[in-house]
Amino acid sequence: MPKKYRVGIIGSTGKGNYGHSVDKAFTKLPNIDIVAVADDNAAGLKAAQGRLKAKSTYTDYNVMLQKEKLDIVAICPRWIDQHHAMLMAAAEAGCHVYMEKPFCPTLKLSDEVVQNLEMRHLSLGIAHVSQYSPVLDVVLKIIRSGEIGEVLEIRGRGKEDHRGGGEDLWVLGSHVFGLMRSLAGGHPVSCTATVTNNGQPITAKDIVQGGEGLGLISGDHVQARYDFENGIVGYFASKRSMAGKPSRFGLQIFGSKGVIEMTSGYLTPAYILRDSSWSPGRTRKTWETITSNGIGKPETRKDGSYEGGHIAAINDLIDSIESQRPTRCTVEDCRDIVEMIAAVYESQRLGKTASMPLETRVNPLSLMS
């Protein structure tokens, strides 16, 4: 009989809740037994038990981890300030983890989690659902086949709504950076960035505590360039209240023979422009849709919801446990995404290009005076 995995769910009603339905995804998998749920909010805990049919409830996740012999812990809250403590407790209990993003608020805290999970040979999956998309698999094959020629640069943007700038960098930028790393096929070796507020370089007075436990953030306009080890250049930008309709949230891959556009999401279609000039107005060439079946082929899969992305990621985590292979977005990948975010502020603080890996492991904004 296939193994059933004992799962404990951690939520925090009013402080990140259960993320984007992370908890519900576990109810859709036949090899999962949700044995317990923990929430420090009594009303939220009662609602979660009813929703998840968990056998036991706890107001303290540490007690749950001590009493229940769990295989996997789901860390659901969106608020990032709780993630480090929850991850360390899960590692101490010997549990694999699936979690909501972003990962951890600083590189120092990320380093501690990486060390503690790796020393115990524990796997981690995270809700960067685009990383698990079968459309991404097709896009990577198209790039490797040379369909758009040599990749020259990758341009990404956040949602650029009221969170544009520093908050967008964290909350939506983490998705973009995960995709950018997958598509660039390597690690960035440097970051050159400018962060401004009302058109002026940020100073200490512009630094604020971000929402959802993000810690120190700053700026209403972020512009960053990343140089990857293989020569590809990546760009990320976000400016507050400049959102497009439909959203520009995602990225474009510019090659010597054409362009591919991807927006964030699981099973979201991508688009290819087979035009070396990148100028369809001149060439009369048109964008073609990319689905999990290929270029110009209709999508036949039915699991395209955000929940479907969680399910794919959880299945990947389980397969990584059973096959003793890395997950598609490993704990080290999560730390590298945090580093791409931190590098923006480090470059601004230094007033020059920041070499990566960063020597500064705290939030660079905490060092500005």
Side-chain angles (χ1 to χ4, degrees):
M1 293 288 292
K3 173 173 176 158
K4 272 218 167 193
Y5 288 85
R6 291 174 56 84
V7 172
I9 306 287
I10 299 176
S12 186
T13 299
K15 299 177 181 178
N17 304 315
Y18 290 78
H20 295 286
S21 299
V22 173
D23 57 331
K24 290 183 183 178
F26 280 90
T27 68
K28 305 298 175 66
L29 293 164
N31 54 347
I32 293 297
D33 183 15
I34 300 176
V35 299
V37 59
D39 191 327
D40 53 4
N41 180 288
L45 181 61
K46 182 178 179 180
Q49 184 181 29
R51 184 170 65 245
L52 303 171
K53 311 304 180 190
K55 300 177 181 68
S56 302
T57 60
Y58 296 87
T59 56
D60 185 338
Y61 66 82
N62 289 291
V63 177
M64 178 182 76
L65 291 170
Q66 292 164 8
K67 289 191 173 181
E68 305 285 352
K69 295 181 179 180
L70 302 172
D71 299 306
I72 298 172
V73 173
I75 297 176
C76 303
R78 289 192 317 276
W79 285 26
I80 189 173
D81 59 339
Q82 305 178 81
H83 286 177
H84 174 262
M86 291 173 176
L87 284 160
M88 294 293 281
E92 182 68 26
C95 300
H96 304 282
V97 174
Y98 182 67
M99 67 177 296
E100 183 60 275
K101 60 84 197 167
F103 182 50
C104 288
T106 69
L107 285 170
K108 182 178 185 294
L109 297 177
S110 299
D111 290 339
E112 292 177 3
V113 174
V114 170
Q115 180 182 7
N116 277 272
L117 288 179
E118 290 188 342
M119 70 184 285
R120 293 175 171 87
H121 306 289
L122 297 170
S123 293
L124 178 139
I126 192 167
H128 289 305
V129 296
S130 301
Q131 300 291 93
Y132 306 91
S133 171
V135 177
L136 174 60
D137 295 337
V138 173
V139 167
L140 290 170
K141 288 178 183 178
I142 290 170
I143 292 172
R144 286 194 291 266
S145 73
E147 192 69 39
I148 63 168
E150 181 179 346
V151 175
L152 302 175
E153 61 186 62
I154 302 173
R155 301 178 192 167
R157 299 194 77 91
K159 283 192 175 179
E160 302 184 273
D161 52 17
H162 65 281
R163 299 168 293 182
E167 188 172 354
D168 208 7
L169 173 68
W170 263 109
V171 179
L172 288 315
S174 60
H175 283 299
V176 174
F177 295 138
L179 271 177
M180 187 181 291
R181 293 180 69 259
S182 293
L183 292 160
H187 298 274
V189 296
S190 67
C191 173
T192 308
T194 58
V195 184
T196 59
N197 201 47
N198 295 321
Q200 299 298 316
I202 60 168
T203 64
K205 66 181 177 60
D206 298 307
I207 300 171
V208 299
Q209 284 288 337
E212 300 188 357
L214 291 174
L216 299 178
I217 63 171
S218 190
D220 60 13
H221 192 187
V222 169
Q223 298 176 87
R225 166 187 168 136
Y226 299 91
D227 288 277
F228 284 81
E229 56 192 354
N230 55 11
I232 293 173
V233 178
Y235 297 95
F236 176 82
S238 172
K239 189 172 184 179
R240 187 174 299 159
S241 302
M242 291 291 162
K245 293 183 179 180
S247 174
R248 293 184 293 269
F249 174 38
L251 46 72
Q252 294 177 316
I253 309 104
F254 291 84
S256 58
K257 295 181 181 178
V259 184
I260 292 175
E261 181 175 85
M262 295 191 71
T263 53
S264 181
Y266 180 74
L267 211 60
T268 306
Y271 302 91
I272 183 170
L273 177 66
R274 292 190 258 203
D275 178 358
S276 60
S277 73
W278 307 344
S279 180
R282 289 186 291 159
T283 62
R284 299 293 185 264
K285 293 185 177 179
T286 59
W287 289 90
E288 302 168 80
T289 302
I290 303 172
T291 69
S292 66
N293 292 317
I295 299 174
K297 297 179 180 179
E299 184 57 73
T300 54
R301 295 181 61 139
K302 306 297 183 184
D303 59 338
S305 65
Y306 207 97
E307 190 174 274
H310 288 316
I311 291 170
I314 295 164
N315 280 329
D316 176 73
L317 172 64
I318 290 171
D319 186 69
S320 80
I321 295 167
E322 295 177 350
S323 304
Q324 297 185 348
R325 63 158 179 84
T327 54
R328 291 190 62 159
C329 189
T330 67
V331 65
E332 289 189 336
D333 291 329
C334 293
R335 176 177 60 187
D336 290 348
I337 291 168
V338 172
E339 184 168 49
M340 292 182 75
I341 296 167
V344 171
Y345 288 126
E346 180 69 343
S347 174
Q348 177 67 30
R349 183 181 78 87
L350 296 173
K352 63 180 183 180
T353 297
S355 297
M356 301 170 72
L358 298 177
E359 290 186 10
T360 299
R361 309 307 280 181
V362 296
N363 185 330
L365 293 175
S366 68
L367 303 178
M368 291 182 64
S369 60

